[in-house]
Amino acid sequence: MDYVVTTSKLTKTFGFFTAVNQLSINIRPGEIYGFLGPNGSGKSTTIRMLCGILEPTSGSGKVLGFDLATEAEKIKPHIGYMSQKFSLYDDLTVYENLNFYAGLYSVPWRERQHRIQEMVEMANLTGREKELAANLSVGWKQRLALGCAIISKPAILFLDEPTSGISPTSRKMFFNIIQRLANEGTTVMVTTHFMDEAERCSSIAFISEGSLIANDTPDNLKNKVIEGVLAELEIEDPMGKLQEIEQLPYVKECSVHGALLHVLLEKEQNLVDLQTYTKARVNKITPSLEDVFIALSRKKRRVKAGEQDIICAP
């Protein structure tokens, strides 16, 4: 199978509101597919359609060869799903939560205890099997919820903002687990707004207001979207100087990054021009996905009419 997920002009409307607008994506087996966009952009709605929870309004799609419109119930036994709300039962213990989900996913009795033990070890919860889920920290709950989602060894794992609200250390640990799952052959589709997590994805789709605006590998997006030379400018009062820097003839874009300005220049020579003008430190830098996201958002705002260009993998 070339793709485990494929959609063509997939659309979901709620009354007069279009939540997902003609989305076309393909996800390969064993891929970590990042789905990025601001709140309300259509990420969760897309995930729910792919899980067979919501019926598409129009367009088409398949998950593991099953049609979203006509075979939604056949999709569910083969996937794992985890949302940012961590669908756990607080009045059940760690073991009882895992056992419940093992039953829900029809894990055979002869395999169940072994799988539960594997999930306890994966989540680093050994010795806490009898502890109530309500007493776990957010980071522990997150890993327990992941264990519940993958206890049946799903072919595809859908993660909807799974690291929202947890510490950076827990986020890193969680993504290390995701990477191991992908290395073992599990396909992962994850929605996130953390750019450091997106950097670790095989492919990334940016969605805005329900529409796909870019879809490629992280490196290709940086090369395609950032047209010019990106510089980091160390200057006093960066917010106050933003508009002034933007007006320079050789500056294409300018944005604030903490105490620094990121300035997109037309060519290499402009690094000297910018340093001469500002009398501040100017460093050429490699674009980050945050720079890509800012550039894509600005491009979308500039599009006043007509169909928007989509930056995709060939």
Side-chain angles (χ1 to χ4, degrees):
M1 187 182 295
D2 291 336
Y3 299 108
V4 292
V5 174
T6 179
T7 70
S8 177
K9 297 183 178 180
L10 192 66
T11 300
K12 181 63 181 179
T13 59
F14 298 94
F16 294 105
F17 174 68
T18 301
V20 178
N21 185 26
Q22 298 192 27
L23 181 70
S24 298
I25 60 173
N26 296 301
I27 304 177
R28 295 180 177 85
E31 190 171 34
I32 301 180
Y33 191 89
F35 205 45
L36 279 68
N39 291 336
S41 60
K43 302 189 303 296
S44 294
T45 302
T46 300
I47 291 280
R48 288 169 187 154
M49 283 193 285
L50 296 178
C51 288
I53 299 170
L54 284 178
E55 184 178 351
T57 303
S58 62
S60 62
K62 288 186 176 182
V63 174
L64 297 170
F66 298 115
D67 187 270
L68 293 182
T70 62
E71 300 176 294
E73 290 305 313
K74 293 181 180 179
I75 294 171
K76 295 174 184 177
H78 303 283
I79 64 173
Y81 171 71
M82 176 183 164
S83 72
Q84 60 180 311
K85 295 181 180 179
F86 305 159
S87 302
L88 298 171
Y89 292 90
D90 281 346
D91 55 345
L92 296 183
T93 65
V94 167
Y95 174 87
E96 288 167 340
N97 268 284
L98 289 167
N99 190 46
F100 172 78
Y101 277 94
L104 196 64
Y105 284 114
S106 301
V107 176
W109 276 106
R110 63 182 179 275
E111 300 176 16
R112 191 170 298 187
Q113 294 307 313
H114 176 65
R115 286 299 292 161
I116 289 174
Q117 186 58 37
E118 283 186 332
M119 295 303 97
V120 168
E121 292 174 1
M122 178 276 297
N124 199 21
L125 285 166
T126 302
R128 299 191 176 197
E129 293 89 341
K130 296 182 179 180
E131 190 167 341
L132 290 177
N135 297 335
L136 298 175
S137 68
V138 178
W140 295 120
K141 283 183 178 180
Q142 176 216 41
R143 273 170 274 168
L144 175 58
L146 177 63
C148 292
I150 65 173
I151 197 164
S152 64
K153 295 186 178 179
I156 303 178
L157 178 61
F158 293 100
L159 304 173
D160 192 7
E161 298 280 3
T163 59
S164 180
I166 64 173
S167 70
T169 302
S170 292
R171 288 201 297 111
K172 184 177 180 180
M173 191 178 300
F174 183 85
F175 236 78
N176 287 339
I177 297 171
I178 297 306
Q179 188 67 63
R180 288 204 303 270
L181 290 171
N183 292 342
E184 294 167 1
T186 303
T187 304
V188 181
M189 183 177 186
V190 55
T191 69
T192 181
H193 57 269
F194 294 110
M195 296 301 156
D196 59 327
E197 293 180 354
E199 292 275 4
R200 300 179 65 176
C201 294
S202 316
S203 298
I204 297 172
F206 281 98
I207 186 171
S208 179
E209 297 177 0
S211 297
L212 185 69
I213 57 175
N215 184 17
D216 212 327
T217 66
D219 287 343
N220 285 347
L221 283 171
K222 293 171 189 176
N223 293 330
K224 290 180 180 179
V225 174
I226 308 299
E227 299 175 349
V229 177
L230 189 65
E232 188 177 73
L233 178 62
E234 298 182 29
I235 193 170
E236 291 185 10
D237 188 21
M239 184 67 76
K241 295 292 180 74
L242 177 67
Q243 190 170 3
E244 177 187 343
I245 301 299
E246 281 183 322
Q247 300 304 313
L248 295 173
Y250 47 82
V251 172
K252 302 175 74 172
E253 291 181 356
C254 187
S255 57
V256 178
H257 288 248
L260 304 167
L261 287 178
H262 280 199
V263 186
L264 185 60
L265 305 168
E266 291 184 348
K267 54 188 179 181
E268 192 101 11
Q269 174 60 38
N270 299 142
L271 291 165
V272 177
D273 298 332
L274 182 62
Q275 187 160 0
T276 301
Y277 178 82
T278 61
K279 296 180 176 57
R281 185 188 298 274
V282 177
N283 300 307
K284 181 181 177 181
I285 60 172
T286 301
S288 67
L289 282 178
E290 185 174 0
D291 295 308
V292 171
F293 183 72
I294 290 172
L296 287 170
S297 299
R298 287 189 172 187
K299 182 176 181 180
K300 181 172 176 60
R301 288 197 295 268
R302 288 197 295 263
V303 176
K304 300 298 182 182
E307 189 173 340
Q308 183 172 344
D309 292 334
I310 299 176
I311 299 171
C312 294

